Amino acid sequence: MMADNQHAASGSPPQSDRDDFNASESSIEGLAVVSVSGSVDMLTAPGLAEAIDTALAKKPRGLIVDLSKVEFLGSAGISVLMKTRDTLGETTQFCVVADGPATHRPLTLLGINELMLLSRRLDDAVSKLTDR
């Protein structure tokens, strides 16, 4: 029981919120957009990775991961983003949409905004990747 209390105090979502994860794919101007909502933690991060892999299999000219509706972004989710950046390298443009304390703040505090493009709005991300 003590471990549960410590887990909840650490800022991770309650177990009942883990079922709210959703990832969907769309396309804008030849860019794949993976829109994510809910919590991205160690249980749901594989779903994010799978959605990204599915989008990249279509060979888009760029990839946007939209986290604007994510309520919790754990280290496992951040790891998926970093692995995606490393896999894509310079061959495919990549941008993450993150706004708010659950996404933008941790990515900025960890310095990840220095390692990949980060936008606060989807429109801005599309502009960044199509204006290059």
Side-chain angles (χ1 to χ4, degrees), residues 68 96-100 104 108 118-122 124-125 128:
S68 58
V96 175
V97 177
D99 190 24
H104 190 268
T108 303
L118 196 62
S119 293
R120 287 193 177 265
R121 296 173 0 126
L122 180 58
D124 295 338
K128 284 180 182 182

Side-chain angles (χ1 to χ4, degrees), residues 25 51-60:
E25 180 193 344
I52 290 170
D53 290 344
T54 299
L56 291 175
K58 297 174 183 166
K59 305 287 185 205

Side-chain angles (χ1 to χ4, degrees), residues 8-58:
S10 70
S12 58
Q15 185 68 30
S16 61
D17 288 347
R18 294 181 195 267
D19 295 332
D20 69 349
F21 173 82
N22 185 44
S24 61
E25 180 193 344
S26 61
S27 179
I28 301 174
E29 297 186 38
L31 304 169
V33 179
V34 175
S35 300
V36 185
S37 63
S39 299
V40 184
D41 56 22
M42 67 183 209
L43 296 177
T44 59
L48 173 59
E50 182 179 333
I52 290 170
D53 290 344
T54 299
L56 291 175
K58 297 174 183 166

